[in-house]
Amino acid sequence: MQWIDIRSDTVTQPTPAMRQAMFDAPVGDDVYGDDPTVQELERVAAERLGKEAALFVPSGNFGNQLALLTHCRRGDEVILGDDCHIVWHETGGAAVIAGVQLRTIASPDGVLDAAEVKKRIRVGDDIHHPNTGLICLENAHSNGRVIPLAAMQAVAEVAQAHGVPVHLDGARVFNAATTLGCDVRDITRHADTVMVCLSKGLAAPVGSILAGPAGFIARARKNRKLMGGGWRQAGVLAAPGLIALTEMTQRLAEDHANARYLAEQLAALPGVTVDLASVEINMVWFRLAESVDTARLMAALTEAGIKANPPEAGMMRIVTHWQVGRAEVDRVLAALATVLAAA
């Protein structure tokens, strides 16, 4: 049976072209600066993201935590949304690695209000206060919402006025650019540094990019080594990353269209509530009626060859990607319809 995996876009497998590129990649020792494929990936990434330099890192979590470590001094305070990935899903790394304090702000639909950010920036030299070391934004948000450029610009202007750098968790920033119909640099220009995942919807098997000013990236390269992230013959991993940036970024609209189709069809099923306005990238969140037997639902999906995460507090998520096209979406819908009709 051919499995359909809708748990996340982190489950994507490399494309045939990526596998061939891995086989053919010229390599060297990247800690010595000798890997030509890594060098090319970092050059292309910096250009695509509108930054002076870029650094290949093992994961998005690693890239975000490396950014905090490189931007901040121990004891600094970082301002960010209370529902962002750095707060919720990075295992408290900010405390362990960078030794910083997180100051969270309510962020409806992932949007930080610039006025609320301004209120929380530490001004002056009061010895009781931590220094504001960094402001973090996220676009696309891990809840699947895309943050308007005007909201990012407003926060960036507040940050610049106070001399505080901005880091963008751009794990799915190319999804955000696709939805906004803009160049990705129109998003990243509102941040000093940005982390971008090459995996997820871009389908590379491993790795993310941290990009920013050349001096920052030089410091981050040393900190990457400190964190155990020094690569050796990493060209075999950088090669699919190049395809992710140059080719897979161009097809994300297909994933978004499949997610929209899925959401519209789900909304017609009994016991399902979908907020169609929230379907902005390749994620569909929906609420199941309390009468739905979750154990039976998950068993039926498994029986149908579908890997899915169970609902949490009544909410369930389905994520489309290059291996979940319209035919796979229809299979998922059919399996859900069968169970829900009997609920």
Side-chain angles (χ1 to χ4, degrees), residues 15 57 73 82 129 135 159-160 203 208 223 247 285 312:
T15 66
V57 298
R73 295 175 300 179
D82 63 3
H129 294 170
I135 298 166
Q160 186 174 25
S208 293
N223 284 338
E247 297 181 17
W285 292 86
E312 292 186 17

Side-chain angles (χ1 to χ4, degrees), residues 303-338:
E303 180 68 22
I306 298 165
K307 294 182 180 181
N309 287 324
E312 292 186 17
M315 290 292 290
M316 191 167 179
R317 185 186 77 166
I318 294 176
V319 184
T320 59
H321 49 80
W322 81 271
Q323 291 172 294
V324 178
R326 189 60 58 89
E328 288 75 22
V329 168
D330 283 335
R331 271 182 60 188
V332 171
L333 286 165
L336 287 170
T338 300

Side-chain angles (χ1 to χ4, degrees), residues 16 20 29 34 46 60 90 97 125 137 140-141 181 192-193 197 204 247 252 288-289 321 330-331 335 337:
Q20 186 62 48
D29 189 317
D34 291 344
E90 298 191 4
I97 298 169
D125 297 317
L137 301 175
H141 198 276
D192 298 276
T193 59
C197 288
E247 297 181 17
L252 293 174
L288 295 169
H321 49 80
D330 283 335
R331 271 182 60 188

Side-chain angles (χ1 to χ4, degrees), residues 58-138:
S59 70
N61 188 326
F62 191 111
N64 281 335
Q65 295 304 321
L66 177 60
L68 268 62
L69 175 64
T70 306
H71 275 295
C72 299
R73 295 175 300 179
R74 296 186 70 81
D76 276 358
E77 189 168 72
V78 178
I79 299 172
L80 68 182
D82 63 3
D83 60 352
C84 73
H85 195 275
I86 291 173
V87 172
W88 274 86
H89 297 295
E90 298 191 4
T91 57
V96 176
I97 298 169
V100 295
Q101 172 171 296
L102 301 183
R103 192 172 192 189
T104 63
I105 300 176
S107 48
D109 294 332
V111 177
L112 286 185
D113 182 89
E116 293 300 315
V117 172
K118 183 177 180 179
K119 288 180 186 177
R120 289 163 177 80
I121 294 177
R122 307 285 188 167
V123 177
D125 297 317
D126 191 315
I127 63 171
H128 303 89
H129 294 170
N131 295 314
T132 301
L134 186 65
I135 298 166
C136 292
L137 301 175
E138 186 174 358

